[in-house]
Amino acid sequence: MKYLMAANWKMYKNRQEAQKTASELFAKIGTMPEDRELVIFAPFTAIETTAESFKKNGQPVKGFSVGGQDLYPASEGAYTGEISPGMLIDAGATWVLTGHSERRAIIGENNAFVGQKTAFAMNAGLKTCLCIGETLAEREAGKLNSILEQQIKEGVKDLSEDFNPDDFAVAYEPVWAIGTGKVAGVEEITEAHNLVRSVLIKLFKEKGKQIRILYGGSVKPDNATQIIKLDNVDGVLVGGASLQSESFAKIVLA
Ligand code: G3H
């Protein structure tokens, strides 16, 4: 299983900025170590330029991928403002995020809709990273386990039985640790990731052991090594610290 080192650029970077950061990253990392791969979840308008920055002699380079931050679960149609998996693929994306906590909180996406998106993306041939995580209030009310279990179950409920576990990942991002500088402690990360793993095994048996579980929430160059060493942590999903090539390159090579 390769570590998945993912950047979520959120609503930052125009095409020129994306091209600059991606090219710098490409140069700083050079050959991607065999035990890991990188994906940049870029804004829709910057997917193509980011994917182009990761090519050598016009060919995509192993270990460097680009994804979209969201999709609409339909191939095409009258869905003003939305984007289809086919459009993401056409722009150069091979991955997509579903269920990011900012979309759940700001746009109001619920577990059922996130589940529809996840299955639709996978069926359309996009590798998919389902994001889950509890708010501080939910954690303090002792609901950590039930919230995560529910988000996973509903998030994967329509996945077809024969999906490839390399093409699906779950990102655990405690909402209280996103963009706050408050990284979850080693014990908190271990507890949550073990729980996610046990739910995945309950749902998918052997295959559940091969699905990558990423941690997200204030990952920085100085805590990344410690985090990815933990059991059941198979990568990271990085927001703020992924915007600069210098800090994200350090994290990718942690
Ligand atoms: O998707 C990434 C997360 O929202 C983490 O963001 O690294 O800025 O805390 P952050």
Side-chain angles (χ1 to χ4, degrees):
M1 187 192 286
K2 288 184 188 229
Y3 287 108
L4 184 57
M5 312 303 275
N8 177 7
W9 282 351
K10 308 192 178 183
M11 202 172 73
Y12 294 98
K13 296 193 189 292
N14 59 28
R15 288 180 299 168
Q16 201 186 347
E17 292 161 341
Q19 197 272 337
K20 184 173 181 290
T21 309
S23 311
E24 287 171 1
L25 201 55
F26 198 46
K28 282 188 209 299
I29 294 172
T31 306
M32 183 65 67
E34 272 301 313
D35 68 343
R36 61 198 62 205
E37 60 178 314
L38 162 164
V39 55
I40 304 280
F41 292 100
F44 299 140
T45 49
I47 289 174
E48 185 170 9
T49 186
T50 305
E52 286 301 316
S53 307
F54 289 158
K55 284 184 179 169
K56 234 181 215 161
N57 304 323
Q59 293 304 315
V61 171
K62 214 174 127 205
F64 292 83
S65 308
V66 184
Q69 299 168 12
D70 187 39
L71 77 151
Y72 190 80
S75 306
E76 60 180 4
Y79 304 105
T80 302
E82 296 295 333
I83 193 158
S84 73
M87 290 168 176
L88 293 173
I89 293 168
D90 182 49
T94 51
W95 277 90
V96 72
L97 290 177
T98 55
H100 191 279
S101 65
E102 284 148 18
R103 296 201 62 84
R104 292 178 189 263
I106 302 166
I107 316 289
E109 291 190 9
N110 60 22
N111 284 338
F113 194 39
V114 171
Q116 273 181 43
K117 290 186 178 199
T118 304
F120 201 89
M122 291 284 286
N123 288 338
L126 280 169
K127 300 179 186 189
T128 304
C129 177
L130 165 69
C131 304
I132 60 166
E134 82 290 1
T135 62
L136 189 58
E138 288 163 345
R139 174 172 276 267
E140 286 176 348
K143 293 186 185 158
L144 173 71
N145 293 14
S146 61
I147 291 287
L148 297 189
E149 192 160 349
Q150 196 62 20
Q151 289 178 338
I152 299 170
K153 278 190 178 156
E154 291 197 48
V156 304
K157 71 178 187 326
D158 295 326
L159 277 194
S160 70
E161 296 259 305
D162 59 351
F163 75 91
N164 179 344
D166 291 344
D167 294 350
F168 180 63
V170 174
Y172 168 64
E173 303 200 301
V175 177
W176 46 272
I178 294 178
T180 57
K182 270 191 219 158
V183 63
V186 164
E187 279 170 26
E188 289 160 325
I189 298 176
T190 305
E191 181 194 10
H193 280 239
N194 288 346
L195 173 79
V196 173
R197 179 67 71 207
S198 69
V199 175
L200 292 174
I201 291 174
K202 203 156 47 171
L203 292 168
F204 300 117
K205 314 280 176 317
E206 258 326 279
K207 202 145 73 171
K209 295 182 185 165
Q210 297 161 45
I211 294 170
R212 287 174 285 187
I213 307 174
L214 316 188
Y215 170 77
S218 297
V219 175
K220 307 282 178 234
D222 60 2
N223 59 26
T225 304
Q226 187 191 26
I227 292 171
I228 66 164
K229 272 195 205 151
L230 299 173
D231 274 357
N232 285 320
V233 176
D234 310 306
V236 285
L237 179 55
V238 187
S242 74
L243 295 172
Q244 310 297 330
S245 60
E246 178 125 359
S247 52
F248 191 55
K250 282 187 188 148
I251 293 172
V252 171
L253 299 173

